[in-house]
Amino acid sequence: QFWESTPASEGAERFGQPGSPQATVLGQFRDTYIVAALDGDLWLFDQHTCHERARFEQIEKRKKGERAQSQALIEPVVVQISPALALLAEESSLELYDLGFEIEAFGAGSLLVRSIPHLLSGRDPAEAVTRVLRQLEDGSDTHWAVEGRAHRLAASLACHSAVRAGQKINPPTMHEIVSGLLRAEFQDYCPHGRPTRHRIPKEDVARWFERTGWRRS
């Protein structure tokens, strides 16, 4: 399913930053992939892994300066979790605080959540905390492209705050995701090691339509 944008010749938006590749976003396919033209070729961007990669780098850069922006809850939320996750939360308390979580022990197998990262605003606080901790607990070394607990917690936050596969998004959001990836330092894989994009060379497209002499870019 495609969203048909204004043709590039009529002023479709282009992205990137000075010196970076420029992309023209064409639409969304199966509510999962963003279709774009880049350097004359056709590209498919996985909307989730692209968004995750860009957000991860934004979180990491912000951590070098100050604590991430957080959203205080009107009423603290009690979260029931396993003893293993409770221990992990205690061990990771400083890293979680830097990311915008304010959590404290609240009896055996429970946490009291007072704030969550601004990136997770509007999400269920209990579910957000549980998912971030569970992903850190469950992720074996083969499932990560980053090392260290602080980086993996940042990756989990980026993952759970990013748009999902199968989520319909509007054209401005598509633009934001693609341009965010093109500004990232590492663009090919998300922090969990999954690919972010796939290139379809213009020569392949030409062959599909038996236009082997096609020279237009």
Side-chain angles (χ1 to χ4, degrees):
Q1 182 178 11
F2 280 91
W3 171 80
E4 305 238 342
S5 67
T6 304
S9 61
E10 296 180 21
E13 293 187 57
R14 296 174 67 80
F15 304 81
Q17 56 186 351
S20 70
Q22 300 292 304
T24 300
V25 170
L26 305 176
Q28 187 184 26
F29 177 62
R30 295 182 63 84
D31 295 343
T32 298
Y33 307 101
I34 299 170
V35 186
L38 177 62
D39 293 335
D41 297 322
L42 191 64
W43 288 74
L44 294 178
F45 292 86
D46 183 305
Q47 64 192 40
H48 175 71
T49 58
C50 286
H51 203 197
E52 180 183 338
R53 177 77 243 181
R55 284 211 157 165
F56 172 72
E57 293 199 9
Q58 291 168 1
I59 292 168
E60 289 287 276
K61 289 177 182 177
R62 188 178 295 117
K63 280 167 54 182
K64 296 177 182 178
E66 57 186 20
R67 180 177 181 241
Q69 186 178 2
S70 64
Q71 177 70 53
L73 303 180
I74 297 176
E75 292 286 343
V77 174
V78 177
V79 184
Q80 301 293 332
I81 57 175
S82 68
L85 286 185
L87 178 60
L88 184 58
E90 182 180 355
E91 294 173 344
S92 309
S93 59
L94 292 179
E95 292 94 337
L96 288 167
Y97 181 79
D98 287 342
L99 290 175
F101 289 100
E102 189 175 349
I103 302 171
E104 60 187 67
F106 194 71
S110 297
L111 297 175
L112 186 67
V113 183
R114 297 187 181 276
S115 68
I116 60 175
H118 181 71
L119 289 176
L120 295 175
S121 295
R123 309 289 179 92
D124 178 1
E127 183 181 13
V129 170
T130 303
R131 284 190 172 186
V132 167
L133 290 172
R134 187 174 293 145
Q135 189 174 75
L136 182 65
E137 177 192 45
D138 294 345
S140 68
D141 287 341
T142 58
H143 296 154
W144 295 91
V146 294
E147 296 182 353
R149 187 167 60 200
H151 296 307
R152 291 182 176 183
L153 279 170
S156 293
L157 174 57
C159 176
H160 293 300
S161 65
V163 301
R164 313 302 299 178
Q167 179 179 341
K168 187 179 294 295
I169 55 178
N170 58 29
T173 302
M174 297 180 215
H175 297 332
E176 180 185 349
I177 290 172
V178 173
S179 60
L181 181 73
L182 294 181
R183 288 193 299 267
E185 183 176 359
F186 300 102
Q187 301 178 7
D188 292 333
Y189 296 92
C190 78
H192 293 95
R194 292 177 53 209
T196 58
R197 57 188 181 177
H198 179 75
R199 180 175 71 95
I200 304 172
K202 57 182 175 292
E203 293 81 8
D204 288 357
V205 178
R207 276 196 296 273
W208 297 342
F209 295 96
E210 299 182 7
R211 292 182 176 272
T212 54
W214 188 47
R215 291 295 180 268
R216 295 178 57 191
S217 59

